[in-house]
Amino acid sequence: MARKTDADDLQSWFNRDVVGIFKQHHALDSEGIFIGDGSYLFVPDNDKYEGSSRLLFDEHNHPVDGKNLSPQQRARCRWRRCYKLVSLIHTNRDGEFFLYAGVEVTSGKDHESPLLYRLVEQFVASHGKGIIKRLILDRAFLDGPAIGRCKQEWGIDVLIPAKSNLDVFQDVVGLATAGQLSFKPWARPALEVKVVPVHRPENIRNREAKRQQTLARRKAEAQVEEEKVETSKIWVRSEVAVVREVKTFSTCPVPLNVIVNREIYADGHPEYWVLLDTAPVADAAEGRQDYRLRTTIEERHRQLKCFSDLEAFTSRAFNLVVHQVVFVLLTYSLLQWFLLRIGRKELNPRTRTRTLELLRPAITVIVIYYQNHLAYLSPLQHQELVLTLGEMARKKILAKTRRLRRSLAQQLQHPRAP
């Protein structure tokens, strides 16, 4: 049945009907933050994988053009067969959950930019305007007309980094080097300090103390190594500035607000990178903080590939490849939504294995109910109670237990009503 299900029909069902159920049950956050991403799905080098492509990748699994590589660079590359997963992912500003709101699997050689903007168009057509309010993208999706259409037709503000060869990048960096911009420091948000349980067992306390000693030693060793590194490679601080209503990105029909990021190194030299935003920018630091949400997608995809069998394809048929991807992402999204609804959002960044471990019951309780009274007993307390009863009472409990055991065994054999 899965083999006969057309891949396009299955993806349309997910993008339209499944996301519609999320919307119906108020799973979509009112801030409307969505992230667009493209990721490669690697398969064995077998040309029978329908619709796959064979591309040259570097040591970081980024596709490269072999014609422009030196012999030393090419030696670090290898040919790999792959598909490409283009996805539209919903989250909130704190990154407490990630719901897949649009999915398309295609050949690895296809460019992800037109596919993503098509997903956005289909989303708006199926679910209406005003749900996607903020779209955070990587520079691979830099497309002036498409960004303008998102803003003008659908009311979607796009946040995306600029390439260094664009006029808008060179113009704002020129202003920065000329001292025309007002920069202010930017610091990463402080990590939340975990509260140490009061009744932590002694063996765990000892293990944690040893771990802290190891971390302190490694930190000291890293500081020694940093002293040996050239000062031009030691990062010191980050600064941000904003240039508003820029129109030098000629292919984009709407003015852009540009967030200029300056990284200062130990020898004093700066390096720049730039974010383009169609939304009004009151504080450049907030825009840079929003963009950090996009980088969290890389860890989510690593977890899905390593712990949820996203790439463990057992068939070479394209319909079955898409079938596996769609249902793995559906399961992941449902689990994210479930943990958020039960108040366990802190488990959402965990791997599936770790989440199941933490959800497993930590204690076993036996509940006895009699005439509007309840008793909560541990297994040993219950055993002690039974063993101290009189002979007649024990015989009654034994007879009742046997009846319950037989009835439950019969029910488990027929869990569904005929």
Side-chain angles (χ1 to χ4, degrees):
M1 183 176 178
R3 184 185 293 270
K4 294 180 180 179
T5 302
D6 182 73
D8 290 337
D9 291 342
L10 183 62
Q11 292 174 134
S12 296
W13 167 79
F14 181 90
N15 299 339
R16 182 184 61 250
D17 299 328
V18 172
V19 178
I21 293 174
F22 286 148
K23 175 187 174 184
Q24 178 183 350
H25 290 275
H26 309 288
L28 304 182
D29 188 75
S30 59
E31 282 191 289
I33 298 176
F34 286 72
I35 302 171
D37 190 65
S39 180
Y40 289 97
L41 304 176
F42 295 106
V43 297
D45 193 4
N46 184 341
D47 57 6
K48 294 188 181 297
Y49 278 92
E50 296 177 359
S52 63
S53 300
R54 192 169 181 266
L55 304 176
L56 185 64
F57 289 86
D58 62 15
E59 63 271 28
H60 304 296
N61 285 331
H62 296 151
V64 294
D65 185 359
K67 299 178 181 179
N68 300 324
L69 299 178
S70 66
Q72 294 80 7
Q73 292 173 327
R74 190 177 181 86
R76 295 194 297 268
C77 300
R78 59 172 174 162
W79 291 92
R80 302 191 69 179
R81 187 167 295 277
C82 62
Y83 295 99
K84 182 174 288 184
L85 168 63
V86 181
S87 50
L88 186 64
I89 306 164
H90 176 51
T91 185
N92 62 2
R93 196 169 300 277
D94 295 326
E96 295 174 333
F97 63 91
F98 288 83
L99 300 180
Y100 281 83
V103 173
E104 182 156 353
V105 181
T106 184
S107 174
K109 64 182 179 182
D110 293 340
H111 200 284
E112 58 264 36
S113 181
L115 298 176
L116 176 76
Y117 289 110
R118 187 170 68 189
L119 283 178
V120 174
E121 181 179 6
Q122 292 172 352
F123 186 100
V124 174
S126 299
H127 310 295
K129 297 180 182 179
I131 298 176
I132 303 180
K133 299 176 183 178
R134 182 77 155 158
L135 184 59
I136 305 175
L137 303 174
D138 191 11
R139 68 186 65 199
F141 302 101
L142 196 59
D143 184 327
I147 293 173
R149 188 183 181 197
C150 287
K151 178 68 173 180
Q152 293 176 326
E153 295 187 20
W154 305 321
I156 300 173
D157 286 312
V158 178
L159 177 65
I160 189 170
K163 296 180 180 179
S164 59
N165 59 354
L166 292 179
D167 290 340
V168 63
F169 182 98
Q170 296 171 1
D171 289 346
V172 296
V173 171
L175 291 174
T177 54
Q180 299 298 311
L181 301 183
S182 176
F183 284 89
K184 66 177 184 178
W186 181 85
R188 294 180 178 87
L191 295 176
E192 183 179 352
V193 179
K194 296 182 179 180
V195 179
V196 179
V198 178
H199 302 293
R200 175 173 284 182
E202 184 179 358
N203 62 329
I204 297 181
R205 292 201 303 269
N206 294 337
R207 187 170 60 187
E208 177 63 19
K210 291 181 180 180
R211 191 179 76 89
Q212 292 298 332
Q213 292 175 1
T214 302
L215 291 175
R217 188 186 73 251
R218 289 178 179 176
K219 184 177 180 180
E221 293 173 353
Q223 291 176 348
V224 173
E225 291 296 327
E226 284 183 0
E227 294 176 358
K228 301 177 183 178
V229 178
E230 298 179 9
T231 56
S232 62
K233 298 180 181 180
I234 300 176
W235 172 85
V236 176
R237 68 182 184 276
S238 297
E239 298 174 339
V240 292
V242 61
V243 183
R244 296 179 175 84
E245 299 293 321
V246 177
K247 300 180 180 179
T248 51
F249 189 12
S250 58
T251 61
C252 183
V254 297
L256 299 169
N257 298 297
V258 183
I259 300 173
V260 185
N261 301 273
R262 181 165 65 183
E263 313 295 337
I264 308 297
Y265 290 82
D267 65 347
H269 89 276
E271 291 185 2
Y272 295 94
W273 60 282
V274 169
L275 290 170
L276 307 178
D277 198 345
T278 61
V281 177
D283 186 355
E286 291 183 2
R288 174 163 176 169
Q289 180 63 22
D290 285 349
Y291 186 72
R292 292 186 75 235
L293 285 171
R294 199 214 64 81
T295 60
T296 61
I297 294 302
E298 304 300 331
E299 173 61 19
R300 301 294 172 139
H301 282 159
R302 187 192 71 82
Q303 291 185 12
L304 285 167
K305 293 174 183 179
C306 296
F307 301 99
S308 298
D309 297 332
L310 185 62
E311 289 183 323
F313 302 117
T314 56
S315 174
R316 298 184 295 273
F318 184 67
N319 284 349
L320 291 178
V321 169
V322 174
H323 185 276
Q324 179 165 335
V325 171
V326 166
F327 280 94
V328 166
L329 298 183
L330 173 58
T331 304
Y332 179 82
S333 298
L334 289 174
L335 182 58
Q336 293 273 302
W337 185 24
F338 168 73
L339 293 174
L340 185 67
R341 293 192 65 175
I342 67 173
R344 299 298 301 275
K345 61 187 179 183
E346 71 278 2
L347 297 180
N348 273 333
R350 310 277 187 171
T351 64
R352 184 183 63 176
T353 304
R354 181 57 177 158
T355 299
L356 293 176
E357 288 178 356
L358 294 174
L359 288 175
R360 190 172 294 126
I363 59 174
T364 301
V365 177
I366 298 173
V367 181
I368 300 177
Y369 173 80
Y370 180 72
Q371 294 184 354
N372 295 327
H373 294 281
L374 287 174
Y376 296 89
L377 306 176
S378 69
L380 289 177
Q381 288 174 325
H382 179 263
Q383 182 178 353
E384 180 184 3
L385 176 64
V386 172
L387 293 177
T388 55
L389 291 174
E391 185 66 21
M392 185 177 296
R394 279 194 281 118
K395 287 182 178 180
K396 288 182 179 180
I397 291 178
L398 177 59
K400 181 65 173 178
T401 302
R402 285 173 174 170
R403 287 197 300 271
L404 288 173
R405 179 179 58 80
R406 286 194 293 266
S407 63
L408 289 174
Q410 186 68 17
Q411 288 177 8
L412 290 175
Q413 292 175 5
H414 305 284
R416 293 178 182 269

